[in-house]
Amino acid sequence: MATRFLRWTFADEIQKVKPVAEQIVQGAKTHREKAVRIYNYVRDEVQFGFTAEFDRASPSYTLEQKRGHCNPKGALFHAMLSAVNVQSRMRIIHIHLNPLITTQFADIGVHMFMDVQVDPDKDEWVTVDGYVVDRPVVAAGIETLKKEGENVGHFTHIGALSEWDGQKPAMSQYVDNAIRADDFAITIDKDEDLEAFYMSNNYPQRDAVLSWLGSKMISWFFVPWTNRSINQQRLVGNELIKATK
């Protein structure tokens, strides 16, 4: 088994994503405005989906691939915020993957969402994960859930909020305790703690991700199969959004 999970550090990654982050927030006057702009960028320009690097993906890799799921997009969001001096905290919990993501890969997984300091003078923090799933996927997911009479599924939930004004929480995947698997929770703000988590027994996919066979099963089967489903849903969502304009 590998001796390290992460093959990168936030110190290096912040410098790699800094030019993009600085361009995004150009002209922004407050931390809140900076946070909202970066949130919108990560939501819209980095599509929801999975890559061969899975949870080992670095922020710059996720930015380059323009694709990621909750954990890599959370790390990217954190790095880009840090690059423009906005503080954030990564929060990780255990969730039931089904029905949020219909998969035979595993029952229990982890979900990362973020606390963002939108006003340092008042020490005001807001919790979000609406940057994870791009709007077309959310739109199609909500429409399908309405037809099915379900609350959670298709990568989102019935009350998902994609739009964020920097004032109130915006959550497009995690919803209260509907998908919570247990009481485990950890708050992380530096890569040493993230590395320790991924190498611990609290990360259910550790052995699969770190083993040669497990990583190939993820990249050869889980990733393309799930991305096809997401892409099909995105096509439907794009049509729904066009119809409302």
Side-chain angles (χ1 to χ4, degrees):
M1 183 182 292
T3 56
R4 277 191 62 84
F5 188 91
L6 302 178
R7 293 169 287 199
W8 50 270
T9 66
F10 274 117
D12 291 338
E13 291 297 311
I14 288 168
Q15 294 306 310
K16 290 179 180 179
V17 303
K18 190 171 185 176
V20 177
E22 288 182 334
Q23 184 176 13
I24 293 167
V25 304
Q26 189 173 10
K29 294 181 172 61
T30 66
H31 283 66
R32 197 185 309 273
E33 187 178 355
K34 289 180 181 179
V36 170
R37 287 193 188 185
I38 290 177
Y39 170 101
N40 289 340
Y41 182 90
V42 174
R43 180 196 61 200
D44 297 338
E45 302 302 324
V46 183
Q47 292 185 335
F48 174 65
F50 295 83
T51 69
E53 286 290 286
F54 198 59
D55 285 335
R56 302 182 90 175
S58 69
S60 60
Y61 174 86
T62 302
L63 183 62
E64 179 182 306
Q65 295 294 309
K66 294 190 178 297
R67 186 180 301 275
H69 60 286
C70 61
N71 302 331
K73 288 190 75 171
L76 172 61
F77 190 37
H78 177 74
M80 294 183 80
L81 289 171
S82 297
V84 295
N85 300 313
V86 176
Q87 289 192 51
S88 62
R89 300 184 295 235
M90 297 168 282
R91 295 174 60 188
I92 298 175
I93 58 172
H94 288 162
I95 63 168
H96 292 289
L97 294 176
N98 293 299
L100 183 65
I101 300 175
T102 304
T103 177
Q104 302 301 315
F105 175 55
D107 175 42
I108 305 297
V110 299
H111 179 61
M112 180 187 292
F113 53 101
M114 304 291 292
D115 292 334
V116 182
Q117 189 183 49
V118 295
D119 188 336
D121 293 332
K122 297 179 180 178
D123 196 27
E124 180 185 354
W125 296 75
V126 182
T127 303
V128 293
D129 80 355
Y131 56 84
V132 175
V133 187
D134 46 296
R135 287 178 291 181
V137 177
V138 171
I142 291 175
E143 188 70 15
T144 303
L145 288 171
K146 288 178 180 177
K147 293 176 181 178
E148 295 174 344
E150 299 291 342
N151 292 321
V152 179
H154 308 285
F155 314 105
T156 189
H157 61 88
I158 196 73
L161 294 175
S162 295
E163 302 297 333
W164 186 46
D165 60 3
Q167 302 285 344
K168 297 179 180 179
M171 310 294 282
S172 64
Q173 280 205 313
Y174 181 59
V175 49
D176 296 329
N177 294 318
I179 59 173
R180 188 87 179 253
D182 53 38
D183 293 332
F184 174 80
I186 187 171
T187 300
I188 293 170
D189 59 7
K190 54 181 182 287
D191 50 2
E192 293 88 347
D193 293 338
L194 187 60
E195 170 70 18
F197 164 74
Y198 277 132
M199 289 298 285
S200 75
N201 292 329
N202 286 317
Y203 176 50
Q205 281 70 54
R206 180 193 62 185
D207 293 345
V209 174
L210 291 179
S211 73
W212 182 87
L213 180 59
S215 64
K216 296 306 179 186
M217 291 290 287
I218 292 170
S219 62
W220 290 348
F221 298 102
F222 173 77
V223 169
W225 182 87
T226 308
N227 283 346
R228 278 196 296 272
S229 179
I230 295 169
N231 289 336
Q232 290 170 358
Q233 187 168 318
R234 183 175 290 114
L235 290 173
V236 173
N238 279 326
E239 292 304 314
L240 289 171
I241 292 172
K242 286 180 184 178
T244 61
K245 290 183 178 179

